[in-house]
Structure formats: C-alpha cells, structure tokens
Amino acid sequence: MCGIVGIVGKSNVNQALYDSLTVLQHRGQDAAGIVTSDNGKLYLRKDNGLVRDVFHTRHMRQLTGNMGIAHVRYPTAGSSGAAQAQPLYVNSPYGISLAHNGNLTNSEELSADIFRDDLRHLNTDSDSEVLLNVFAHELQMLNKMRPSAEDVFQAVRAVHRRCRGAYAAIAMLVGYGIVGFRDKYGIRPLVYGKKRTRKGYEYMLASESVALDSQGFTLVRDVAPGEAVYIDQEGNLQTMQCAEDNKLTPCIFEHVYFARPDSIIDGVSVYKSRLRMGERLAQKILRIRPNHDIDVVIPIPDTSRTAAVELANALGVKFREGFVKNRYIGRTFIMPGQSQRKKSVKQKLNAIALEFQDKNVLLVDDSIVRGTTCKQIIEMAREAGARKVYFCSASPPVKHPNVYGIDMPAVSELIAHGKTVAEIQSLIGADWLVFQDLEDLIASCAEGSILPMDFECSVFDGFYVTGDVSSAYLAKLEARRNDVSKHKKQLEAEVSESGNWDEDEGQLSLHSNS
C-alpha cells in the first residue's frame, strides 16, 4: 500500500506535491519521491525515509515545472531499498515516469514477456517497474511522434488486457501530460479534483481526497474502475473507460485501517463508515451480552478511535483515552521479526493507570493481525490495574493473506488462521473477545454510497476477486512474507546500499526525448 499524487498546474508544483505527500504519509513510510517536468526536462528526487527527511531545500529548488507526480511507499513482501523508491522512469518513448499503488498478481509472467517479447530490461523485482514497462511498450507500439489523448487511452487499454491484480497508477509523459488509471475492479483508491486560478484550471490526482483538500482542490469524483483520466500539459482534461467487464470492488481494509478518516473513498466517508462499525459492533455485544459489566471503553490509538466513540455511545458506557501514543514509532505489524515488534509496542504506547484501576475495560482495535500487539496491550491494561480486560475488533478475524498491495504477514503468522474465536481469546489473554461480523462491516462501508459496489474482503473470507490467485501463488507469497525472509531482505538491502547511495545521489536531472 502506497500513496500517489499527480498535479498539472499553472506554476511550479513542487511545493504542492511535497505538501500532498506529507498528508499521505500514513500510506507509506519506507521511501518517498517527486518527479517534475519542465521544458522537456525531467527532475527527480527520491530516497528511503520519510518525506521530511528525503526532501531538503536544495532538492526542492531543482524540482521545477508545472507538472509532476509523487509517491510515498511501504514495501510489500519484504522488498525494500532505495532502488525501488518511486516514481520510476524509462526514457522510451517520450520519457515516462510512474507512481503505483497496488500489486500485480501476474508480475512474474509479465517480467518474462517484457524481456523476451518487448525487449525491455527490468532493473528490480518491483511489479511497479513491470507496470511501467508494459505501459511504455504499448505506447511505443503506436509509433506516434506526439501522443494524443486517444493514444494514451489505447495504451491503458492494453495495460488492462495484460496486467492482472490491483493497480492505481499515475504516469507522466515528459512534456505532454499526466494520466491516472485504476484497475478494472477499483481495488486501490484514486480520485481527482480541480482548482480554478487566474490562469485557468489546475488538476490533481491522488490516492485520497484529503490530499486534494489540503491543497485547495475541489473533489470531482473517484476514477472509475478501468477508467483513465488524462490531463495534458496545457490543462485540458479527458476521461475514457478503457476496460471491459469493470466492476467496483474496492479494498475494504482502506475503511478499516489504511485511509485517513477525513477522506472520502468511492463516495463514502471513511469517518462515517468507522462510526457505523462501532455502532454495529455495539449491537452485536448487546445481543450476546445484554447484561454486560463493561465500565469503560478505551481505544487503541489511532484508527480505532472513531469506532470506539460510537460503540461507547451505543453501549451507554464511558469513553476514555487510556493510552498515550508515541508518534515517532512506526507501524508494528509491518516490522520484521517478533522481537522487534514486541519492543516497539512498549515504546509506542503507555497506559494511563487511573483509567484502568479496578475497572472492567473494553479495549477496541480496528483489527487483529498477528495478535502480538494486542496481547501486550492487554498485559499493559492488567498491569495498570484493570479488573477485567475485554477486547473487540472493528473488523472480522484476519485469516488470509492480502495479494493486492497490503503487506500482510505470511498466513502462518496470522493469529486467526485456522483458529476459533475462543482459541484466539486464550492466545491474546483477554477475558472476552468479540469480532465484527463481515456482513456488518460491509454494510458499514457501503451505506451512503450511490455507486453499486461489492468489496474486496479476501483477508477475511479468502475470496480473491481477480480470480487468478492459486494455491501455488499463495505458497510463493508465504515464502516471501515470513519473518525470516523479511529479515534476510532487509540485511541485503542495507548491505547493497552502504557506500552506494547518499542523500544527493537520489537527485537526478534527465533530458526527455520528446
């Protein structure tokens, strides 16, 4: 899961791209990059690290141009390293850079085709580089000196025919324009908006509407599944449906965890969907335990807070903040190695003892993945003096791996895989455990939308909407995602980068061939 943004403006867009990335930082903390186009030249800066650490004043001054795209990354399947930071670039045709969020499920097959048939070289094992080269090849096959909007749409049609899986992408043709497109299921989010200036309209594409809000753009709508949106360098916008059999099936985990609550995805407020999750979870608790003895509801910061507030209201019990979060610690479920995760939880949260002392506490989290974090949090609650510790999840048990761009652990590391709720309850040490029902989660996320949609819920139900995920594919994914493999890849990345990449080496100035 990553964050992407692209802007076609009437003046330099570097600052707006930077500010947008800071708003989307929650979507990726591994690497960041910005590329701009100015008078037929491309300027690129990317590196590992947070946005604030990758870009300094000297870098921003060089990122000139009224058109650009940007990316924040977190790696999937353990792959990392500065070489895989985005946007990625190929010089033919025209000079194309691309930022991608998602995961191709047929990237190995495509990699072979790109080398054998397209006669193109891939420099990394990134499926984003595969997507870029497929798009570039299809555009080159049209053999046009200057690409039109229809040429771009035709290349996107070919991408949809060849690529499977999840992809929301923004590509920039140096000196010509920017195109954003979404896979035919709309698994990963992509929106676009506009802003009126004295010189005319500016346009922006982004993973979440909150990025548009931050820069004063008005949300127009979501990019539809299979649709492409092309904005040329002069600011003319055209759209085209480029895929057959398209169906809106967005990833439901965006509403559960990844998206910011102030975003709107496919016409649905993330904030309101989380309120409804809390309300429906409270209804389930009241059905199961109408005479519950819960004294206080406490969220595990931050994404569960919205659901916890509404849950407490519906139950008629107090809502309290019982944990203080250290905001300088990254997400623990994507860290390699159980020992590192265990250490991080203690660094990340601290209990306020007076909110726990002699109380029956209901802790609320958005989901339970490995179970390592919630087990330690339950222990912290007991150490703080809680009489009983109940635990509830605003989503169902996570039982299956994600193949569409979320770096879920290997299936063998998912605490709920092959286990009953009672067994999970015992493993995490709770006095009582309750999960949201899948039908209630879906209803919470669908309410208010005027668009017909299903949801991609594979982490909960094991159904993969693209229809191409075999047991062999999942076995390969298992091998790549286990902790041993992640730790090995991390060491390899550190060794390969030592002495070979400094803060200025990520700054490039490239001439396009347009």
Side-chain angles (χ1 to χ4, degrees):
M1 188 214 45
C2 303
I4 59 176
V5 58
I7 300 176
V8 177
K10 298 300 180 181
S11 58
N12 284 339
V13 296
N14 53 354
Q15 190 64 51
L17 289 170
Y18 175 92
D19 292 341
S20 298
L21 288 187
T22 63
V23 173
L24 296 175
Q25 185 74 87
H26 62 287
R27 300 189 67 85
Q29 302 172 4
D30 181 70
I34 294 175
V35 60
T36 58
S37 174
D38 189 13
N39 293 320
K41 292 181 65 177
L42 179 148
Y43 298 94
L44 169 67
R45 167 65 183 171
K46 62 178 182 176
D47 204 351
N48 281 352
L50 300 175
V51 175
R52 68 186 182 211
D53 299 320
V54 170
F55 301 101
H56 300 176
T57 301
R58 64 185 183 277
H59 305 131
M60 297 299 292
R61 285 175 177 165
Q62 295 181 50
L63 293 170
T64 59
N66 73 316
M67 182 170 70
I69 65 175
H71 187 270
V72 285
R73 178 179 189 267
Y74 99 51
T76 55
S79 60
S80 190
Q84 298 201 39
Q86 296 184 38
L88 300 172
Y89 172 80
V90 291
N91 70 347
S92 180
Y94 315 117
I96 303 173
S97 55
L98 178 138
H100 166 225
N101 176 32
N103 184 63
L104 302 183
T105 53
N106 64 332
S107 59
E108 287 189 10
E109 173 189 329
L110 286 171
S111 296
D113 292 344
I114 288 168
F115 179 77
R116 183 184 60 249
D117 301 329
D118 299 354
L119 303 180
R120 286 177 170 269
H121 170 73
L122 297 177
N123 199 48
T124 71
D125 62 356
S126 168
D127 64 329
S128 301
E129 189 180 11
V130 171
L131 182 64
L132 169 59
N133 276 272
V134 170
F135 176 68
H137 173 77
E138 296 300 334
L139 199 55
Q140 188 166 32
M141 292 300 291
L142 299 177
N143 198 28
K144 296 292 185 69
M145 181 66 71
R146 297 182 62 86
S148 66
E150 178 52 39
D151 295 328
V152 174
F153 294 145
Q154 190 169 337
V156 174
R157 289 188 193 99
V159 168
H160 290 319
R161 288 194 297 268
R162 294 181 64 180
C163 296
R164 298 195 299 271
Y167 48 92
I170 304 174
M172 180 172 68
L173 284 64
V174 182
Y176 293 109
I178 284 177
V179 59
F181 55 93
R182 200 175 176 193
D183 69 79
K184 69 177 185 177
Y185 298 98
I187 297 173
R188 303 262 70 87
L190 187 64
V191 299
Y192 76 93
K194 64 181 180 180
K195 178 169 65 175
R196 187 170 185 173
T197 70
R198 287 178 298 175
K199 296 180 180 180
Y201 280 107
E202 297 181 334
Y203 291 93
M204 180 175 179
L205 290 146
S207 292
E208 294 184 34
S209 62
V210 66
L212 277 62
D213 299 338
S214 73
Q215 301 308 305
F217 284 77
T218 301
L219 173 65
V220 175
R221 61 177 175 85
D222 296 81
V223 177
E227 186 182 28
V229 176
Y230 180 67
I231 310 118
D232 67 26
Q233 191 165 243
E234 286 69 45
N236 302 303
L237 181 142
Q238 298 182 59
T239 66
M240 180 66 68
Q241 178 53 248
C242 298
E244 299 176 355
D245 303 323
N246 53 302
K247 181 181 181 182
L248 182 56
T249 315
C251 174
I252 203 165
F253 220 74
E254 292 280 353
H255 287 272
V256 170
Y257 177 67
F258 282 119
R260 279 179 44 152
D262 45 346
S263 284
I264 296 173
I265 297 179
D266 295 309
V268 177
S269 164
V270 176
Y271 175 75
K272 287 189 174 181
S273 70
R274 290 177 183 170
L275 286 176
R276 290 189 288 266
M277 290 177 205
E279 181 180 4
R280 289 176 180 272
L281 191 53
Q283 291 171 0
K284 180 175 181 179
I285 290 172
L286 291 173
R287 287 197 308 270
I288 298 172
R289 292 195 173 186
N291 300 315
H292 68 80
D293 59 351
I294 300 167
D295 296 316
V296 62
V297 172
I298 293 177
I300 297 172
D302 283 311
T303 45
S304 65
R305 183 174 287 113
T306 306
V309 168
E310 194 64 14
L311 186 150
N313 288 337
L315 290 179
V317 301
K318 293 179 181 179
F319 171 87
R320 290 290 186 269
E321 295 284 355
F323 294 103
V324 175
K325 183 178 181 180
N326 178 355
R327 301 186 182 279
Y328 301 96
I329 297 294
R331 288 171 170 156
T332 54
F333 89 86
I334 61 174
M335 290 183 179
Q338 287 285 72
S339 60
Q340 187 177 353
R341 277 189 292 273
K342 289 179 179 179
K343 180 180 179 181
S344 293
V345 174
K346 290 289 186 180
Q347 294 173 334
K348 188 175 184 178
L349 295 176
N350 189 49
I352 301 174
L354 61 88
E355 296 296 352
F356 293 90
Q357 190 67 45
D358 298 324
K359 296 177 183 177
N360 296 334
V361 178
L362 176 62
L363 301 180
V364 183
D365 207 350
D366 53 78
S367 59
I368 300 176
V369 183
R370 280 187 171 93
T372 309
T373 300
C374 58
K375 180 178 181 180
Q376 290 184 78
I377 289 173
I378 289 169
E379 292 172 356
M380 290 170 65
R382 294 195 192 281
E383 291 169 1
R387 187 165 55 243
K388 291 183 180 179
V389 182
Y390 307 133
F391 202 98
C392 66
S393 167
S395 62
V398 176
K399 296 182 177 182
H400 307 278
N402 183 281
V403 303
Y404 299 126
I406 300 176
D407 191 24
M408 286 288 181
V411 67
S412 59
E413 297 165 358
L414 298 174
I415 192 171
H417 182 73
K419 297 184 182 68
T420 65
V421 173
E423 289 170 332
I424 301 168
Q425 176 181 314
S426 177
L427 286 170
I428 65 175
D431 292 301
W432 183 52
L433 172 65
V434 60
F435 286 96
Q436 183 88 266
D437 292 330
L438 182 56
E439 55 267 31
D440 285 338
L441 176 62
I442 292 172
S444 298
C445 299
E447 186 176 331
S449 174
I450 61 173
L451 302 171
M453 69 169 77
D454 291 325
F455 283 95
E456 198 291 304
C457 304
S458 58
V459 297
F460 305 123
D461 61 13
F463 175 74
Y464 298 95
V465 297
T466 54
D468 61 338
V469 179
S470 65
S471 56
Y473 180 92
L474 292 175
K476 286 184 180 180
L477 196 67
E478 171 82 6
R480 294 174 63 196
R481 286 186 172 178
N482 64 63
D483 276 342
V484 174
S485 176
K486 282 188 176 183
H487 185 61
K488 181 180 178 182
K489 284 181 178 289
Q490 184 183 38
L491 291 176
E492 289 173 350
E494 290 171 357
V495 170
S496 66
E497 288 165 24
S498 60
N500 294 323
W501 185 274
D502 60 36
E503 64 176 6
D504 290 321
E505 195 170 342
Q507 182 82 22
L508 301 175
S509 174
L510 300 173
H511 287 278
S512 76
N513 60 353
S514 60

